[in-house]
Amino acid sequence: MKYIISGTNRAQSRSHQVSIIIQNLFKDNGEVVEIIDLSKYSFKDIGEGVYGSPQKLSQEWQDLLLKIKESEGILFVVPEYNGSMPGALKLFIDQWSYPDSFEGRPVAFVGLGGMFGGLRPVEHLQQVMAYRSAFQFPERVFLMNIFKTLQNGSLTDEVSMSLLKSMVGNFSKFCLALQQFGLDARSKMKANLSKNK
Ligand SMILES: Cc1cc2nc3c(=O)[nH]c(=O)nc-3n(C[C@H](O)[C@H](O)[C@H](O)COP(=O)(O)O)c2cc1C
């Protein structure tokens, strides 16, 4: 399973609406992809300094961290908050187990914001993912002036829609290509499990 991370815990966020648009593009290609909506999780649980001890987290967070570890690929939808990614997204990522959640994980990025379309949060997140050796899909999409272009859950901008369509199709191929040669995080995890049997 691939996951779309709606990268903020703000209720009724535009990131979540964009995540649904992207989920439907995967569906058009015959692929079921789940959205991780960070606004549905209680950040009280992870806001109290529990790092590296997932057993101290609620079952809900433990299940979520397992989804990340077992994911075929992750597509981040990242809004711009004060020139970067939302703190909630970084706090979530800081709970991920290292190296297995990160190394070789296929990741893709969609930014949204004002006139720069979330370029800054995407590039900050790319630094994090590069440092932790994820496989970064190079086709990024930036949704500019999101206040205007997102209306009633649809993107009015045709160029953005066609860029998203292209990205979704090619990201699936990218994930498959990595799987074929056993290079992605999930294939490596499976190989290690069968080695240790
Ligand atoms: C706390 C906060 C900070 C923001 N800072 C920026 C910013 O630095 N640059 C920008 O272009 N937009 C900024 N915005 C506007 C958001 O990018 C825009 O409202 C977007 O819809 C937010 O995504 P969300 O609806 O998923 O929360 C900010 C919004 C919030 C809530």
Side-chain angles (χ1 to χ4, degrees):
M1 171 76 84
K2 292 189 191 65
Y3 295 94
I4 299 167
I5 296 181
S6 175
T8 173
N9 59 346
R10 196 174 78 79
Q12 271 127 36
S13 74
R14 291 185 182 89
S15 301
H16 187 243
Q17 293 180 50
V18 169
S19 299
I20 293 170
I21 293 171
I22 296 169
Q23 185 183 41
N24 284 328
L25 292 174
F26 277 105
K27 199 171 158 196
D28 292 345
N29 292 345
E31 196 173 346
V32 176
V33 168
E34 200 178 295
I35 296 173
I36 294 173
D37 178 2
L38 293 182
S39 75
K40 297 281 182 282
Y41 293 84
S42 167
F43 274 71
K44 279 185 208 139
D45 290 350
I46 60 169
E48 292 184 347
V50 181
Y51 295 100
S53 308
Q55 68 281 3
K56 290 188 184 157
L57 297 176
S58 65
Q59 194 57 48
E60 204 181 26
W61 281 107
Q62 290 188 38
D63 293 347
L64 182 55
L65 293 174
L66 192 64
K67 283 184 179 178
I68 297 297
K69 240 163 66 166
E70 294 183 344
S71 63
E72 262 175 65
I74 294 173
L75 192 154
F76 290 96
V77 177
V78 201
E80 178 156 347
Y81 283 8
N82 299 312
S84 187
M85 72 186 94
L89 177 59
K90 182 61 166 59
L91 184 58
F92 171 48
I93 291 170
D94 289 344
Q95 313 305 313
W96 295 12
S97 56
Y98 176 80
D100 44 351
S101 298
F102 294 90
E103 280 188 9
R105 187 75 49 195
V107 287
F109 309 91
V110 172
L112 57 118
M115 64 188 293
F116 297 103
L119 175 72
R120 285 171 287 236
V122 165
E123 295 206 329
H124 290 173
L125 185 53
Q126 285 195 276
Q127 281 181 11
V128 173
M129 291 296 145
Y131 175 67
R132 287 311 205 185
S133 308
F135 277 121
Q136 305 200 30
F137 181 57
E139 218 178 305
R140 308 170 301 175
V141 179
F142 301 104
L143 304 174
M144 291 175 283
N145 302 319
I146 195 71
F147 322 97
K148 281 193 191 156
T149 55
L150 188 70
Q151 300 289 339
N152 305 316
S154 299
L155 281 172
T156 54
D157 171 16
E158 278 176 29
V159 175
S160 297
M161 273 311 284
S162 75
L163 290 172
L164 286 175
K165 246 181 231 172
S166 162
M167 177 199 209
V168 159
N170 289 334
F171 183 53
S172 291
K173 290 180 194 162
F174 178 77
C175 294
L176 273 178
L178 292 169
Q179 281 166 29
Q180 205 170 0
F181 292 98
L183 291 170
D184 66 307
R186 195 160 155 267
S187 304
K188 281 186 184 159
M189 200 171 75
K190 275 194 202 158
N192 284 339
L193 279 177
S194 56
K195 221 192 292 170
N196 296 334
K197 265 187 187 164

